[in-house]
Amino acid sequence: MPAPTASLRFSSVVTLYRLGRVALWLALGGLLVACGDKPAPPSAATLQQLPDDSELARIYDSSCKLCHANPASGAPLTGDIQAWRPRIAQGADTLLDHSINGYNGMPPMGLCMQCSEEQFLGLIRFMSAQDLQ
């Protein structure tokens, strides 16, 4: 009778060993996923900010905010420097062209039919939190 008990103990140890290894691999995998260097999205407070200029604040609130403060829209979020960096690298002329003529999902004139080029550039500076080149 001692043989079945030893066999039972051995199989329990093997099972625990295997479960421990699986748990270890899952934990390591979870840590690797958490190590991504994707920055956190802008805070809700950042998305609620308005430009200091009252006219730009009015335009941003009525035209830009609909998409640029909504993560589901696919537009670069206001204050998300990482999302805006490749766009800013394209230069002010390209960004102005995209604002006026539309680009991908962005409607022409960004829903601001009365905006001037200077206003578009000011709004881009505000949303990107970066100087234009």
Side-chain angles (χ1 to χ4, degrees), residues 9-123:
R9 276 193 217 145
F10 179 74
S11 68
S12 296
V13 169
V14 169
T15 301
L16 286 174
Y17 175 76
R18 288 180 181 160
L19 286 174
R21 285 183 57 184
V22 169
L24 178 63
W25 282 110
L26 289 173
L28 287 173
L31 289 173
L32 287 175
V33 169
C35 288
D37 47 355
K38 183 177 180 182
S43 68
T46 300
L47 293 175
Q48 296 304 317
Q49 289 180 343
L50 294 173
D52 291 333
D53 178 282
S54 62
E55 183 64 19
L56 288 181
R58 184 188 63 73
I59 295 168
Y60 174 78
D61 196 46
S62 64
S63 298
C64 310
K65 190 175 179 179
L66 179 66
C67 296
H68 291 281
N70 178 3
S73 72
L77 297 177
T78 298
D80 187 344
I81 293 172
Q82 295 293 13
W84 280 96
R85 188 167 285 140
R87 292 164 173 88
I88 295 297
Q90 295 176 16
D93 291 339
T94 299
L95 288 170
L96 190 57
D97 178 64
H98 291 172
S99 298
I100 293 170
N101 298 309
Y103 184 74
N104 289 338
M106 184 173 173
M109 301 298 286
L111 299 177
C112 182
M113 301 308 163
Q114 76 281 3
C115 282
S116 69
E117 290 183 0
E118 291 78 25
Q119 288 171 321
F120 279 125
L121 293 172
L123 289 163

